Amino acid sequence: MEKTRQLCLVITLSLMSVAAMASNFVSATDPGFAYVGRISWTAKPGAAVWTYPGVQIHATFTGTSAAMKTNPDCGYFMVEVDDMAPRKVQSVKGKEVTSLVSGLNEGMHRLTITYIIEGMYKKPTFYGLYLDDNCSLGERPTLPERRIEFIGNSITCGYGIEGNGKEKIFLFSLQNFYETYAARTTRALQAQCQVCARSGIGIYRNYAGKIPDEIMPNIYPQTFYETKGEQWDFSRFQPDVVCVNLGCNDTSVGEYDKDRLTEAFKQFTVTLRGHYPKAKIVYIIGAIPPSKKLNDIRDAQNAAIADAASRGDNDVYRMDFTPDDGSLGWGSQGHPSMKRHAVMAEELTAYLRSLMGWE
């Protein structure tokens, strides 16, 4: 009889806990959330869905804890609460609810959630937050006025940035967009950041010529990483500056065609200008070790800049990262290390401050 009463008590308390949590669920569509990134609101009614790294969810909330509801096993996030150090969390298999923070003091708190891996295989879906009983979101956070878009490949995605150079395979656990040159530059310049990037992608051909249809010019018009489907509405995010880091995969394994590479950069410049009439466009490379490939990418980008200027477009530029010589270590499979990304961020931040006149 005693065991039966104990079991009933446990069940009752569990149901009360679930009921309390469910009664205090804040849907992703709540106006208190502010989002940055290529997010779909039609793929899953009532939820935010995306595939690219760098997507951010901003909110303020009252209470001592917060947990998010997503599709299970959708990847890794960096969580920032108030002035505490960023914390990496994982959405694991079989669980829709992931704890973000607990043990806070009562009162209002700031929250930023950043998706830090490539989500093309996981289709991350954010349904909302669970807050303490009788707690709620505060006013919608005001986002920075400055806007940067990053278009790139594995380096921009943070491929292997948490590795030590010895890994032989790709691991999502070692990818971290938050630590990349792109994210660091964005934070240093106090800007919003939108990302369209994929490991292995090129501007006229992908790494080793694989998946020929999924080159950047073909997926760029889409909301998700795909060549057809939901079209992205470019009016939703008009950047002040677009940073394009492509060319490494085009010149990767096997023979490559420099003329096709050059033409692809020219045409992509036209595409970008069509979507962003007022933005400055900056082509960058790597950082990758010095080589003929590096020179050929630079030549192709310079040709695209000259072509734009011939059409009266003088707002297309190129900047050089310091080539990676391995002195700061390596990430996985020859990718830049976290220390190298920090240096890249310093270089790009200084360049954009000067170019844009940003203090």
Side-chain angles (χ1 to χ4, degrees):
M1 178 65 78
E2 181 61 28
K3 288 185 177 180
T4 301
R5 283 200 298 269
Q6 290 177 353
L7 180 59
C8 290
L9 178 60
V10 169
I11 293 174
T12 301
L13 290 175
S14 297
L15 290 174
M16 289 173 62
S17 177
V18 170
M21 180 174 283
S23 67
N24 209 25
F25 178 71
V26 182
S27 169
T29 59
D30 190 286
F33 288 113
Y35 295 89
V36 180
R38 288 198 177 193
I39 290 173
S40 170
W41 292 102
T42 60
K44 196 77 162 179
V49 186
W50 65 88
T51 56
Y52 291 113
V55 165
Q56 288 192 324
I57 304 165
H58 300 267
T60 59
F61 69 95
T62 57
T64 65
S65 69
M68 66 177 177
K69 180 180 179 181
T70 65
N71 53 325
D73 192 28
C74 69
Y76 292 84
F77 300 79
M78 289 296 281
V79 178
E80 299 170 271
V81 178
D82 298 333
D83 295 321
M84 296 188 295
R87 173 173 170 255
K88 185 177 180 180
V89 302
Q90 180 184 9
S91 165
V92 299
K93 187 175 181 179
K95 291 187 177 181
E96 291 186 328
V97 180
T98 302
S99 175
L100 300 178
V101 66
S102 61
L104 298 172
N105 294 327
E106 295 283 356
M108 187 71 72
H109 302 282
R110 302 187 313 273
L111 171 68
T112 299
I113 306 167
T114 305
Y115 190 68
I116 59 172
I117 69 169
E118 299 169 68
M120 59 278 182
Y121 302 124
K122 297 178 178 290
K123 252 336 176 19
T125 303
F126 175 74
Y127 294 96
L129 290 181
Y130 287 109
L131 302 176
D132 293 347
D133 194 23
N134 296 320
C135 292
S136 61
L137 295 187
E139 292 186 7
R140 183 178 185 272
T142 300
L143 298 176
E145 292 185 3
R146 297 170 181 172
R147 294 183 171 194
I148 307 173
E149 179 169 88
F150 287 93
I151 302 170
N153 51 37
S154 56
I155 295 174
T156 301
C157 292
Y159 183 111
I161 197 171
E162 294 189 9
N164 58 19
K166 298 179 181 179
E167 297 82 11
K168 303 299 182 184
I169 60 173
F170 171 79
L171 296 171
F172 279 119
S173 61
L174 299 181
Q175 189 172 42
N176 191 338
F177 174 80
Y178 188 87
E179 300 292 353
T180 64
Y181 76 92
R184 289 169 180 264
T185 297
T186 299
R187 293 194 294 274
L189 293 174
Q190 297 180 318
Q192 297 181 49
C193 165
Q194 179 167 278
V195 180
C196 184
R198 164 75 158 93
S199 292
I201 203 166
I203 196 166
Y204 97 87
R205 70 166 198 161
N206 292 337
Y207 178 79
K210 297 178 180 178
I211 323 178
D213 290 339
E214 294 182 7
I215 56 175
M216 181 58 73
N218 290 350
I219 70 164
Y220 188 66
Q222 312 299 319
T223 299
F224 300 122
Y225 179 80
E226 57 191 14
T227 57
K228 58 183 179 180
E230 182 180 331
Q231 296 277 302
W232 174 247
D233 178 0
F234 286 91
S235 68
R236 289 173 59 183
F237 188 92
Q238 285 285 307
D240 301 300
V241 59
V242 183
C243 296
V244 184
N245 190 345
L246 293 170
C248 299
N249 290 308
D250 302 85
T251 58
S252 58
V253 178
E255 296 294 324
Y256 60 90
D257 189 327
K258 184 178 178 181
D259 290 338
R260 290 185 64 186
L261 178 67
T262 300
E263 186 60 27
F265 273 115
K266 289 180 180 179
Q267 291 302 314
F268 197 55
T269 305
V270 173
T271 296
L272 291 175
R273 181 56 69 216
H275 294 307
Y276 306 132
K278 298 180 181 180
K280 295 185 186 298
I281 300 169
V282 178
Y283 283 112
I284 51 182
I285 311 171
I288 60 175
S291 64
K292 179 181 182 301
K293 295 177 180 180
L294 178 63
N295 293 334
D296 286 345
I297 299 169
R298 184 183 292 117
D299 289 346
Q301 292 179 348
N302 283 337
I305 294 169
D307 181 67
S310 72
R311 290 180 279 102
D313 184 352
N314 296 306
D315 272 331
V316 185
Y317 309 84
R318 188 180 59 75
M319 71 85 65
D320 289 314
F321 287 125
T322 299
D324 195 344
D325 59 3
S327 60
L328 297 177
W330 296 102
S332 300
Q333 297 175 295
H335 285 76
S337 67
M338 196 177 297
K339 290 181 179 179
R340 176 60 63 183
H341 272 277
V343 171
M344 292 164 66
E346 290 177 0
E347 294 174 345
L348 183 57
T349 298
Y351 179 84
L352 292 181
R353 281 193 194 281
S354 176
L355 178 69
M356 305 302 296
W358 288 343
E359 297 296 329

